[in-house]
Amino acid sequence: MSDSNTSPTRCGYVAIVGRPNVGKSTLLNHLLGQKICITSRKPQTTRHNMLGIKTDGANQIIFVDTPGLHAGEEKAINRYMNRAAISSTRDVDVVVFVVERARWTEGDELVAQKLRGLKCPLIIAINKVDQLDDKNALLPQLQALAERFPEAEIVPVSALRDSNLESLENVIVERLPEGMHFYEEDQITDRSSRFLAAEIVREKVMRQLGAEIPYAVTVEVEEFAHEGKVLHISAAILVERNGQKRILIGTKGERIKQIGQQARLDMERLFDSKVMLNLWVKVKSGWSDDERALRSLGYVDKR
């Protein structure tokens, strides 16, 4: 806390929730002004809760990016992602519920049901409003949301275009409790560099491949070491079947080469270092439906 002549110090946890593919990770990256969460057009890109920490003067917002809540829990990894998303709304100071402009789906309804009885302030961020030619088209949804969630503050935004994010941040800060900061001013996430490297590789896989295979893919970093000014990273891309391995490697290794090139460029930006990246593909049958395998691969509930 500070004296009466200055603003009080504020700090709190803010969960970002919503159905899959609504733009939660993109929103967090733009709020932070730095990419720490992977994104793609495919649902369920985010698999883990991850903290994104933004310190601005007296205010520290600790965002919790979450997997999209989804109805199907046929595999252990789906159950893990839903547990991670639901747990994020407990013991936080604010919840930001991200929905899409002029759309309300069964997925949104599922999230809304999970938010019943919420003890903390709720903010609804209507994302992708830049895609509306006529802003009046938003009015019916604004009215419906205001009736459904009378206690919520509703803020239209465009995460991708950085539109109205400052207003959203101000609304969040107003609802944070006064208190000392939990993290150092220059820390932006609770995740290790090794974890971030694995996520970057997985993002490139998801962007390269079709609809089916990305969900059978995870990445395990086996080497992460500095030698002089060069960062050496070796990672195994795990798939569940030999056919998936062939597709991932591509004709004459072209696809795995492209994935490696794109991942290396992102890693060099993130780690501010020259990176030597070595990738290979391994078959680990049934990993996504094996609780023990998931734990060994880092799928551990953190909150």
Side-chain angles (χ1 to χ4, degrees), residues 30 112 118 140 150 158 192 222-223 251:
H30 283 262
L118 195 66
S158 168
S192 68
E222 299 190 359
E223 180 195 19
T251 306

Side-chain angles (χ1 to χ4, degrees), residues 24-278:
K24 299 181 297 296
S25 297
T26 300
L27 177 62
L28 177 53
N29 287 337
H30 283 262
L31 284 165
L32 293 175
Q34 184 166 347
K35 179 176 175 175
I36 65 163
C37 302
I38 68 170
T39 61
S40 84
R41 293 181 182 275
K42 298 179 177 68
Q44 299 170 31
T45 300
T46 300
R47 290 180 179 168
H48 305 268
N49 285 351
M50 177 192 286
L51 298 188
I53 303 155
K54 180 165 187 177
T55 307
D56 185 6
N59 305 314
Q60 184 172 85
I61 309 173
I62 306 163
F63 293 104
V64 188
D65 186 37
T66 64
L69 267 168
H70 52 285
E73 290 199 344
E74 63 275 7
K75 286 191 173 184
I77 191 168
N78 301 105
R79 294 191 291 274
Y80 164 84
M81 287 191 286
N82 274 350
R83 279 199 312 273
I86 294 164
S87 70
S88 73
T89 62
R90 301 185 194 120
D91 306 320
V92 294
D93 301 290
V94 180
V95 169
V96 176
F97 177 17
V98 184
V99 300
E100 233 177 272
R101 84 276 177 253
R103 272 186 84 199
W104 184 264
T105 69
E106 288 182 12
D108 297 311
E109 185 61 35
L110 175 65
V111 179
Q113 293 295 331
K114 299 293 185 185
L115 294 177
R116 289 171 74 178
L118 195 66
K119 301 289 194 294
C120 65
L122 175 66
I123 300 167
I124 300 176
I126 305 180
N127 195 20
K128 306 182 184 179
V129 294
D130 58 303
Q131 297 174 10
L132 283 175
D133 295 326
D134 179 9
K135 294 298 185 275
N136 288 326
L138 197 59
L139 292 176
Q141 190 184 24
L142 285 169
Q143 188 174 350
L145 287 169
E147 290 173 2
R148 177 85 184 266
F149 303 96
E151 75 290 354
E153 182 85 18
I154 302 171
V155 186
V157 300
S158 168
L160 198 59
R161 306 289 176 211
D162 280 334
S163 174
N164 213 33
L165 296 192
E166 190 174 338
S167 296
L168 175 60
E169 192 172 327
N170 289 338
V171 170
I172 291 169
V173 167
E174 287 168 4
R175 286 155 179 74
L176 292 182
E178 294 184 15
M180 301 300 291
H181 294 177
F182 297 150
Y183 293 93
E184 295 294 327
E185 187 175 346
D186 59 351
Q187 187 169 348
I188 60 161
T189 184
D190 64 327
R191 292 289 188 168
S192 68
S193 297
R194 201 180 187 102
F195 172 89
L196 295 175
E199 286 287 271
I200 287 170
V201 174
R202 192 166 64 82
E203 176 187 70
K204 304 313 172 191
V205 170
M206 294 199 76
R207 290 187 173 195
Q208 277 277 335
L209 298 183
E212 179 62 31
I213 293 175
Y215 307 112
V217 169
T218 195
V219 178
E220 191 170 23
V221 172
E222 299 190 359
E223 180 195 19
F224 191 100
H226 284 276
E227 290 182 20
K229 295 182 178 179
V230 179
L231 178 56
H232 290 261
I233 301 174
S234 298
I237 303 172
L238 305 185
V239 295
E240 298 195 314
R241 297 193 296 275
N242 280 314
Q244 295 165 345
K245 178 177 179 177
R246 285 193 296 273
I247 291 169
L248 189 51
I249 291 171
T251 306
K252 297 182 179 177
E254 272 305 305
R255 178 166 277 139
I256 190 77
K257 184 179 177 183
Q258 285 182 357
I259 290 166
Q261 288 171 343
Q262 293 168 7
R264 182 179 55 78
L265 291 173
D266 268 18
M267 289 175 185
E268 290 184 338
R269 278 191 290 268
L270 180 62
F271 302 130
D272 195 22
S273 172
K274 181 173 173 56
V275 171
M276 294 289 289
L277 176 62
N278 181 28

